[in-house]
Structures are given as C-alpha cells and as structure tokens.
Amino acid sequence: MKAEDVRALSPDQLADELLKLKKEQFNLRFQKATGQMENTARTKEIRRDIARIKTVQSAKSAAAAIVK
C-alpha cells in the first residue's frame, strides 16, 4: 500500500484497514511459529503498512486539532 493511497482514506477506513492488517500480522506470526509461512517478506510489508496508517492517522488528528 502506497502512502498516497493511505492519505486518500477517511479516518473510519483507516481504522478498518489497520484492524485488518493487525489481524493478518497475527495470522502470519502463527504461520511462522508452525512453519507454514510461505512468503516471509509479507511480514515486513504488513509492519510498514501499519506504520504508514498510524502516521497518517496521527497527522490527520493533529490537523483536525489545529483547525478547531
């Protein structure tokens, strides 16, 4: 997921996407523990996508606080 795609999402969509990614990260951890993980690079992608979403969420909330 690219940063520009994340910025285009609404706050509700960001929260939903974050929840989805955290669930996927949880499942990947179990796959790794049981030796079933096929795409090990996906863990890094998920972690970075979560960081992107959290960054955009904090920026949007900070911008909303300044406007008020």
Side-chain angles (χ1 to χ4, degrees), residues 9-20:
L9 298 175
S10 71
D12 290 336
Q13 290 173 325
L14 286 172
D16 290 341
E17 188 67 25
L18 182 62
L19 184 64
K20 185 185 87 165

Side-chain angles (χ1 to χ4, degrees), residues 4 20 22-23 28-29 39 43 51 59 64-65 68:
E4 62 188 36
K20 185 185 87 165
K22 285 193 174 211
K23 285 181 181 179
L28 287 174
R29 271 190 260 136
N39 186 3
T43 304
K68 290 183 181 178

Side-chain angles (χ1 to χ4, degrees), residues 19-64:
L19 184 64
K20 185 185 87 165
L21 287 171
K22 285 193 174 211
K23 285 181 181 179
E24 186 175 351
Q25 185 182 36
F26 180 78
N27 290 330
L28 287 174
R29 271 190 260 136
F30 269 97
Q31 287 178 8
K32 183 178 180 184
T34 59
Q36 297 174 351
M37 187 176 227
E38 294 176 8
N39 186 3
T40 56
R42 184 69 180 142
T43 304
K44 185 176 181 179
E45 292 172 8
I46 295 289
R47 197 172 64 239
R48 288 185 175 187
D49 285 345
I50 289 172
R52 275 189 199 102
I53 289 174
K54 285 184 175 183
T55 301
V56 170
Q57 278 181 329
S58 66
K60 285 187 177 189
S61 66

